[in-house]
Structures are given as structure tokens and as C-alpha cells.
Amino acid sequence: MWTDWIHWLSSTAPDELLLIVLPLLCLDGVRYCFASVAMCLWDAACGSIRPARSPSEYVPDVCVILAGLNESETIVSTLESVWGSYPKLQVIVVDDGSSDGMADLAQEFAATHENVLVLRKPKRGGKSSALNFAIPFTDADVVICVDTDSHLEANAIHEIVQPFADPNVGAVAGTVLARNGGVNLVSQLQASEYLRSIFLGRMLSSRLGILSIVSGAFGAFRREAILATGGWDVGPGEDGDLVLRLRKAAWKIVHAPYAQCLTNVPLAWRTLFRQRRRWEWAIVTFECRKHIDMANISSPNFRMSNLMLLLETWIFRIALTLVGIIVLSWLAITKPGLLGYVLLTNYVLYCVLELLQWIVVMYYTPKPARDAWSIACLPLVPAYYLFLKFASVVAIVEESLWRRSYEDNFVPVHVRRVTWHW
Amino acid sequence: MALEQLPPEPTAAMAALRLLHIEADDVDALKLKLTLREQLPADSTVDHVSNLDEGLEVLNSSVYDAVLVGLAAADTRSLDTIKHFTTEVDDTPIIVLSGDTDQRCAVRAGRSGASAFLLKSGLTGAQILGSLRQAMHVHTYDGELPERRKEPRYTLETTAVIYPIEDDGKPGREIAATTADVSESGIVVLADQDTDLVPDICLLGVQCPDSVYRYATVEWRHRRLALPSVRFGGRFLRRTDDPLHVSRLTPRFDTRSLRFKTPMDAAAVQEWVARGILQPVLVDRVKVCPQCEAIPTFRDGCPACGSALTENSKLIHHFACAHIADAAEFAGESVSCPKCRAGNLVVGADFEHLAGTRNCTECEWNDTNLAMIGECLKCGHRFHGQEAIDKDVFEYYVDRLDPLALIDRA
């Protein structure tokens, strides 16, 4: 097959070949690879040395909120990684109606550690209400959300609060990396993806001013901004929704690439599919319905960056994904013999683009030895992204047609029954 | 050697006797002593006093097997006195020795309560001994020998020390002593000490076979010269009349001072501890007021002012928009959400109540965690729980002397 492919490549006219690879080059190529390569070359030309620690010494009061449900196995280790890692730190653990003794374990930790508060919600209300429950109990300038199964790297809190020295910054996204990346192929691929999409991708989005997501696993918010925008709304996708509301309120959203947090990723394909499907529902729910007013040019709150953000989602993540499926389907029907070569050509090209991005990651990462291994699964990355695209398409279709997210148990039934169905 | 009741006929060797001879005439007293010297069993003693009053005093503090009362000839007044004497001493046989040959005198002596009447002239030791045996056998108290007389006494010589117990409960200067004999209820010691300097109640330490001193509280009943020493005879105090009874050494909560203290004065206790007599045993450790060391009460309270009067603010969680805020923010004509403006909210269906921060009603404090506050019940001082002082509570014990163990040794 390889020889046939090479033969086909050599026999295909360059303009025809360009036509085959142009969609990939113009879409993911431009959007991810070329942009990140350009950023890297620019930083290299400017002599920008990757700092191990931010030079500024902004030290605001910080409150870390650990909201979780039935996380008794990981809550103590998370608390241990958080407590004491920052001088002016308050920790609030919110137990969202757990039945496995998570709050008791947290209370035991709180009994022997200062400034740790444990709040218990008698009834499960969902992650949004759990996070909002902590807000009245803190006066900190910055509120940081950390998943209860996560582990903060050294200086993570220090790194993530530095951008708040700019009073216009409303939220800062940290870098979430896979903690259990070496367990199996699924986790390795996710670990590689997190490096590329979260570490590098958000760095680029932040530079371009179109960052639209601050992960709930590790994200920092100015408390004043949270209070002004009413805190988290009912999810799923509550983290992205809050960021969009902050953007609409003219707050800046930035990324702190060296504020790193390790979290557990799904280890099974089915679990991964369900997770990504839940994440992708938010594209329709928030960026096509709830916050479509960001595209209203006549609105007094209109900002071009918000419009660019919406366009990026509509075009790259929705329209072109669907177009790509249609084109591939057409090829499969009309030119089945060509389909294989087209897919293989794009697959190889994708690998090359991934390799370029891997080089950029190596330039920026503070731990090259830790992250270099991700090259090992590079040949499988394009297939992996196809899988994710499939989950994305499923999510887009079912959310658009049936509002599937309002049937998901991520939000308790008594909440999703009364919340707005956008 | 145990003391046993004498058989009517002398079939076995008689145990040692303790006799009290009351005789105003010293010559007669000496004669009797010489007469009895060959007849009495080994280790018997004959103590001499000059008059009945002195005899009563001695009998109150010591136990004798019999009393020999000497009368002068035609001393009718003495017989009347003897009647009073026998009434006072009803647990010891009394033998009257008289110089009056008149039989009427003998009858009157019998009617006065004496056990036997002997004429002094021509009296032999055998006669005296026979009368003694008879009198001791016949003399009973309600059909049995008095307990005091049933109790055997054992000779025991061992090192002892006397600790006078002063009026304030503190120990006085210790006095070296030697034990003489012991019974289950009393002990006799010899000490080189002025009797006036030894109070009635003392703590007696006796060196036991394991060379350890063990102690008993003793009330001295008699003190007599036993040259070159003084003979102290007393009974063991075992109940609450013992100043060092365990009930006085066990700490109790004193409702006036609100402290744990022993009934015995603390200064006295420490004196005894310093002498090595009382051994402290830690029984508890309590938290006390840092100001006056009285017992406080502990409760959750305001960290700022220590008040227990705090209130929980109420929060409302609106399900539809996940908004959580103070209930006051939802107040209006109906319960309305300040975030999404939804009105007419119904508890349970649309929202739930949650506990919020705490407010102190006595100061401006408003926060989440109450502090453990101590409030002294005596001086009213309020303090944080960690400022309380740990105070050890001790009870004390004395290594008590077991008379039975001493008797075994004797």
C-alpha cells in the first residue's frame, strides 16, 4: 500500500495534491500549527527565554476552592499539594452531598491545618452551585478552582496569580496536564493532546486575545469579577460559560502556561467519549445559543475579540467539521479509490504538523524530560483526533436537535428540571 | 507465742502474763514482785502504780491480764473506791490483796466486784498464780472474753520512726523508735523522746522485712517511762479519724474554689510528699483558667470577643441559575433571585436554604469558624482554648502497714 501511495503521490499533479491537502493546511494547519510555530519563532527571535518562574512578585490573597462529589480517595492528597504552597492562602473544600466520607476526611485535615474550611451541602446541587457556595465564605482577591482529584505543581498558585497584577484581568487559565498519562494508550494520547491543546493552544489563544476557556480543573478568577457576573451558571460547561460572561463584561482572559496542574484523565475509550461529548455540548449551548449576543455588532458590549472567538468556533469547530465529514462521505461514494490516498496523505501531513507542534512544545515546556516522550505516540495522534472529532460531531448534532446536555446526570435532576434550556 | 485461755487445771505451760499491781505501799509492792518472780511464766510483766486513778489511766491505754489491788488494813474507804474501780474496769479480773484478816472485808471485796480476795500475810506466789488463773478463767464478759482481751499480742523488735502530726496536718520532727509488741489493733513502741513533745496522733513508720518502711496512723493511749526510753502504746486509726486516711488524700472538686484539691491542706500534703511519706499518683490532667487556675467551661464562641452568642447567616441556593447568596438578597415581595430575576421562588422546588457565615451578636465579628473559648467559672476570664493551662491532678497514697504481716513476722 505504501508503494502504491508513493507512486500515486509522484504521479499526482502538484495543484491537485495541494487541493487535497489544502483543507488541512488551511484549517488545523493555520489554526494550530503555523500559528504556534510563528509564535515560537517570534519568541526565539526576540530572545525570549522560557522563564521557570514569573519575575513579578504579585501576592494577592488567594482562596482555593476544591468542590467535589465522592472524592474521598483523592481529596487528602489534593489538599496536601495545595496547602502551604502559597503564603496567603485559604482553602475551602465543598462537599456536594458526598456519601463516601469525603467531607470527614477533609475535616480531619482541616483540624490540623490552618485556614482550611470544609463546607457541606446536604443535597447534591452540581459543580456550579458547589463553587458558588464557597464565595460568601471568602474575602480573597483571587479565587482558584481546583479539581479534587488534581495535584498542583510547584509554584502553580504563584504563577497563576501573576497576571492579576493587571486590574483588567478577570480570569487566568492554568495548564492542565495528565497525571496518569503513562497508564495506557488512551491516557498517553490524552497527555499528548493536553500538551498541544491546553499548554500550547491556550498560550496561543491568550496571545491572540481569544481565549474562551478556563478549565474548571485549574483556573483562577478575580473574586470581584465573579461577584459582578453572578458566579457560575448551571452546567455542563459552566467553566466556559463563566469565561464568556466575563468576556462580555470586558474582563481580560489570559493563560498562565507555567501554572501547571496534574489531573486524572479517563482510561477507557468509552469514558473519554462521554467526557468529550459533554465538553462539546457547550459549543452549541453557549456559543450558538446563550452567548450569541457576542456577535451582535450593535450591542454596547460588542468586542471584536468576542466575535472572533465565536467565528472561530462556528467555522473551525462546527462548520468545517461538518463539511469535512460531507466531503469525505462524497469521496467515499464517488471516488472510493481516491479516498484511501487522500486520507493517507492528510494523515501523513497531520503527523508532520504534529511533529512541528511537538518541537514548539519542547521549546516552551519547563520540563522537557517529562514531556519529550509524547513524540512516541505521534503516529497515532491523527487517528485519535478523528475519534475526538467524531465525539464532537455527535455532541453537536444531538445538542442542536435534542438539547441532550439537559438530560445528562452531570447536573442533578432537580436542578436541570428548573434551569433554563438554552 | 499465742495467748490462749487458761484451762481450769494447769496441764500446760502458761503464757506470759501482764499484771498491773496497784499498791500505795512501795514495800508491799516490792514484796509482791519478788514473790511472783519465780512463779509467773517467762516474759510476764508486773507493772506497778501507786493509786487507783493512775491504774485507771494505765488500763485505758494498755491491756492487762489481771489487776492486783493492794489495800491497807481496815481500809474500808478503799473498798468503796474499789467498787467504783471495778465498775470502770469491767473487762479485767481484779484481785484484791488486803492486810485485813476480817472475813467481812473479804465479803465486801467480793461484793465490790473483785474476782478474788487474798490476804497479804503469808501469801505465796503459787497462791497468787492460782487465784490469777481462776480469776482469768471465771471472769467473762457476756459469756465471752472481751475482744480486746481475746486479741493476741506479739513481741516484735524492729526499727520504727514516729512522725508527729501537727495541728495543721503537717509532719513534725521525726522521732526514732523501736517496736516492742504488736497486735491487730495496736502497737507499743519505745522511743527516746519527751512524751510532751509527741502529740496523741502520729504516723508511725515501721521497717518491714523487705527494708521498706510502711506506715500506720496511731493514736497513743498511754505513755510510760521504760527507762532509758519511753513506752508508747496506741491503737491504729483506720477510719476517717485518721488524718492521712485515703479519703483525705483523694482529690475532689471543690465547689467553692472551683478547683480540684484534696481535703487535706495542700501545704501539708506537700510536706508529707517532701518527707517521702506520701506518694503522688497522677490521676488526671485538666485544663484550668490561665488567670486563677479554676476550672473553666469550654464552648464554641466568637474568636474576637469570646461570646457564645453567635448567629448563622442564612444563604439561599437558587437551583435554576446556581446562585448562592445571603437570604436577605432574595428578600422582596416574594423570594426573587437577584442574579436571574426569577421571582415567586418556592423552597424545595426552586431553592434551598444553606448555612452561611457566623455573626457575633456582641461584636462586629463575621466569619466562618468559631473558636473554642474558655470562660472561667470563678473569675469570669474569657480566653482561647489553647491558652488554658494544663494542670495535673494527683491523689496521694501512703504505703500502709499491715499489722497481720508484722504479726506473721513476730
Side-chain angles (χ1 to χ4, degrees):
Chain A
M1 182 188 176
W2 289 102
T3 50
D4 290 341
W5 175 66
I6 292 170
H7 178 74
W8 172 82
L9 267 183
S10 57
S11 63
T12 306
D15 54 345
E16 194 176 325
L17 204 57
L18 192 63
L19 199 63
I20 290 169
V21 300
L22 193 62
L24 180 61
L25 286 176
C26 292
L27 302 175
D28 281 5
V30 170
R31 180 174 166 238
Y32 294 118
C33 180
F34 298 146
S36 57
V37 169
M39 177 178 69
C40 177
L41 291 173
W42 175 267
D43 287 341
C46 292
S48 169
I49 300 173
R50 179 182 68 250
R53 182 187 167 98
S54 290
S56 55
E57 290 296 327
Y58 180 58
V59 188
D61 291 339
V62 168
C63 174
V64 171
I65 303 175
L66 304 172
L69 171 68
N70 292 333
E71 299 282 3
S72 60
E73 290 185 7
T74 54
I75 184 62
V76 176
S77 59
T78 305
L79 281 167
E80 285 168 352
S81 79
V82 170
W83 191 87
S85 62
Y86 185 79
K88 292 160 35 171
L89 182 66
Q90 176 191 19
V91 179
I92 299 179
V93 178
V94 183
D95 174 18
D96 192 22
S98 296
S99 57
D100 68 346
M102 176 184 125
D104 295 329
L105 291 173
Q107 196 66 60
E108 281 177 23
F109 186 92
T112 53
H113 296 79
E114 271 188 331
N115 293 327
V116 178
L117 175 67
V118 179
L119 302 176
R120 302 178 193 231
K121 288 178 78 249
K123 188 168 142 183
R124 181 184 165 223
K127 188 169 182 183
S128 303
S129 63
L131 292 170
N132 286 334
F133 188 29
I135 299 303
F137 291 88
T138 180
D139 290 327
D141 302 314
V142 175
V143 169
I144 299 176
C145 305
V146 178
D147 271 358
T148 48
D149 59 351
S150 300
H151 175 94
L152 296 186
E153 290 280 75
N155 296 322
I157 295 179
H158 172 84
E159 289 290 333
I160 205 170
V161 301
Q162 296 311 307
F164 287 102
D166 178 355
N168 297 313
V169 169
V172 178
T175 296
V176 181
L177 301 174
R179 180 191 204 170
N180 54 343
V183 174
N184 56 18
L185 179 62
V186 178
S187 65
Q188 284 173 358
L189 288 168
Q190 289 174 82
S192 173
E193 177 211 353
Y194 280 26
L195 275 174
R196 199 267 263 166
S197 63
I198 296 179
F199 176 61
L200 193 60
R202 291 185 187 175
M203 188 191 303
L204 177 63
S205 298
S206 178
R207 289 272 193 105
L208 296 176
I210 58 170
L211 183 60
S212 64
I213 182 73
V214 171
S215 292
F218 184 40
F221 302 87
R222 191 182 296 275
R223 192 175 68 93
E224 174 195 342
I226 290 178
L227 292 174
T229 52
W232 286 267
D233 266 350
V234 173
E238 68 284 341
D239 43 5
D241 168 64
L242 176 60
V243 169
L244 294 178
R245 284 189 284 119
L246 289 173
R247 292 188 67 97
K248 286 202 285 190
W251 292 100
K252 280 169 66 175
I253 314 297
V254 299
H255 180 228
Y258 300 111
Q260 299 192 342
C261 166
L262 303 176
T263 193
N264 288 329
V265 298
L267 298 175
W269 290 105
R270 181 174 293 185
T271 314
L272 175 62
F273 179 85
R274 284 202 290 260
Q275 181 196 61
R276 298 311 172 97
R277 188 179 65 157
R278 188 172 68 243
W279 290 4
E280 295 297 303
W281 286 329
I283 296 176
V284 177
T285 309
F286 299 126
E287 292 168 57
C288 298
R289 291 178 176 150
K290 184 175 179 182
H291 298 296
I292 197 168
D293 58 320
M294 291 203 302
N296 183 1
I297 300 173
S298 60
S299 166
N301 295 326
F302 175 78
R303 292 171 68 201
M304 183 56 71
S305 59
N306 289 347
L307 176 61
M308 298 306 296
L309 188 156
L310 283 186
L311 289 175
E312 193 252 357
T313 300
W314 293 345
I315 296 172
F316 288 94
R317 297 176 71 181
I318 300 176
L320 292 179
T321 302
L322 295 174
V323 166
I325 292 173
I326 293 171
V327 168
L328 286 173
S329 303
W330 174 79
L331 271 177
I333 296 169
T334 59
K335 297 181 182 179
L338 187 60
L339 180 64
Y341 294 133
V342 168
L343 286 177
L344 188 56
T345 305
N346 281 284
Y347 196 100
V348 171
L349 180 60
Y350 210 113
C351 290
V352 172
L353 296 177
E354 284 295 314
L355 181 61
L356 288 174
Q357 290 190 79
W358 180 86
I359 294 170
V360 175
V361 167
M362 285 300 105
Y363 174 78
Y364 285 111
T365 182
K367 294 186 179 180
R370 177 191 68 186
D371 299 331
W373 63 266
S374 60
I375 197 172
C377 56
L378 192 148
L380 295 175
V381 167
Y384 170 70
Y385 283 129
L386 270 180
F387 171 80
L388 297 184
K389 282 293 181 191
F390 173 67
S392 177
V393 168
V394 169
I396 291 169
V397 170
E398 61 184 0
E399 183 64 14
S400 300
L401 298 179
W402 301 295
R403 289 184 165 81
R404 178 64 180 84
S405 64
Y406 297 103
E407 297 169 25
D408 189 77
N409 206 35
F410 182 81
V411 175
V413 62
H414 71 282
V415 174
R416 59 179 193 256
R417 191 173 53 226
V418 297
T419 194
W420 290 269
H421 292 196
W422 294 97
Chain B
M1 190 173 5
L3 178 66
E4 299 171 6
Q5 289 192 21
L6 295 176
E9 295 299 324
T11 57
M14 197 172 174
L17 297 178
R18 291 193 67 199
L19 303 176
L20 178 66
H21 184 202
I22 303 173
E23 176 58 68
D25 190 335
D26 290 338
V27 173
D28 284 348
L30 185 59
K31 277 187 192 173
L32 183 74
K33 204 164 188 176
L34 292 171
T35 304
L36 287 175
R37 189 170 59 183
E38 299 298 325
Q39 297 296 324
L40 287 177
D43 297 328
S44 296
T45 57
V46 179
D47 295 335
H48 170 246
V49 296
S50 305
N51 55 64
L52 289 174
D53 289 335
E54 205 176 324
L56 273 175
E57 196 179 313
V58 170
L59 284 166
N60 280 337
S61 61
S62 299
V63 178
Y64 289 89
D65 298 306
V67 180
L68 300 166
V69 180
L71 294 181
D75 191 350
T76 56
R77 185 166 55 90
S78 297
L79 278 173
D80 292 331
T81 310
I82 284 178
K83 188 172 181 182
H84 171 72
F85 182 78
T86 56
T87 306
E88 291 291 323
V89 184
D90 59 355
D91 57 350
T92 308
I94 299 170
I95 297 172
V96 173
L97 304 174
S98 175
D100 194 339
T101 56
D102 191 344
Q103 286 296 320
R104 285 177 294 179
C105 180
V107 169
R108 284 168 62 202
R111 285 182 181 167
S112 68
S115 301
F117 179 88
L118 295 173
L119 290 173
K120 285 183 183 177
S121 63
L123 188 61
T124 64
Q127 284 175 316
I128 298 172
L129 191 62
S131 292
L132 280 171
R133 189 183 294 119
Q134 187 70 22
M136 281 162 33
H137 176 68
V138 168
H139 187 86
T140 59
Y141 180 77
D142 288 339
E144 291 185 11
L145 283 174
E147 288 296 330
R148 198 153 65 98
R149 293 203 52 227
K150 275 203 301 187
E151 193 174 84
R153 304 182 66 84
Y154 307 93
T155 302
L156 175 69
E157 277 191 33
T158 185
T159 309
V161 60
I162 298 172
Y163 293 91
I165 300 177
E166 309 292 352
D167 293 337
D168 57 3
K170 293 183 181 179
R173 191 172 64 86
E174 57 189 69
I175 303 162
T178 308
T179 60
D181 59 48
V182 63
S183 70
E184 207 175 314
S185 64
I187 193 166
V188 174
V189 300
L190 299 172
D192 296 333
Q193 181 61 45
D194 189 342
T195 59
D196 291 337
L197 297 180
V198 179
D200 287 341
I201 297 178
C202 294
L203 187 72
L204 178 68
V206 177
Q207 188 179 36
C208 294
D210 55 358
S211 300
V212 173
Y213 274 86
R214 293 187 172 84
Y215 303 90
T217 311
V218 177
E219 181 185 22
W220 302 120
R221 304 300 294 273
H222 81 270
R223 309 142 194 252
R224 286 189 300 107
L225 283 177
L227 295 173
S229 306
V230 176
R231 188 184 178 92
F232 293 85
R235 66 180 181 98
F236 297 121
L237 294 181
R238 292 200 175 96
R239 304 252 184 235
T240 53
D241 48 355
D242 176 1
L244 291 170
H245 189 258
V246 63
S247 62
R248 295 182 55 77
L249 302 175
T250 302
R252 292 190 201 127
F253 182 67
D254 178 38
T255 54
R256 267 202 261 176
S257 64
L258 299 179
R259 294 183 180 88
F260 280 97
K261 49 200 276 189
T262 57
M264 191 175 187
D265 179 68
V269 168
Q270 292 311 312
E271 281 284 327
W272 287 105
V273 171
R275 296 288 188 98
I277 308 299
L278 288 186
Q279 306 300 324
V281 175
L282 181 66
V283 293
D284 204 349
R285 183 171 292 124
V286 295
K287 299 269 185 195
V288 298
C289 171
Q291 198 157 276
C292 68
E293 296 197 0
I295 297 292
T297 179
F298 291 95
R299 73 289 189 281
D300 292 322
C302 169
C305 69
S307 170
L309 305 177
T310 60
E311 296 173 332
N312 246 129
S313 62
K314 253 189 187 175
L315 301 176
I316 286 181
H317 165 211
H318 182 208
F319 299 146
C321 66
H323 186 57
I324 296 181
D326 202 272
E329 294 184 27
F330 286 76
E333 288 185 6
S334 62
V335 180
S336 305
C337 178
K339 176 180 172 182
C340 64
R341 313 290 169 86
N344 297 316
L345 301 180
V346 176
V347 65
D350 300 317
F351 72 92
E352 64 179 350
H353 287 292
L354 297 173
T357 57
R358 291 185 175 272
N359 315 303
C360 178
T361 59
E362 293 186 6
C363 70
E364 302 297 316
W365 179 81
N366 176 295
D367 209 319
T368 48
N369 288 331
L370 295 175
M372 183 57 64
I373 301 293
E375 183 159 354
C376 181
L377 296 172
K378 182 132 180 89
C379 66
H381 176 56
R382 274 184 191 168
F383 52 94
H384 277 264
Q386 59 262 31
E387 294 174 23
I389 296 173
D390 285 335
K391 193 164 180 69
D392 291 339
V393 178
F394 291 96
E395 71 173 3
Y396 302 88
Y397 79 93
V398 179
D399 199 353
R400 284 291 175 182
L401 176 70
D402 179 8
L404 293 177
L406 281 183
I407 288 168
D408 284 343
R409 179 183 170 194

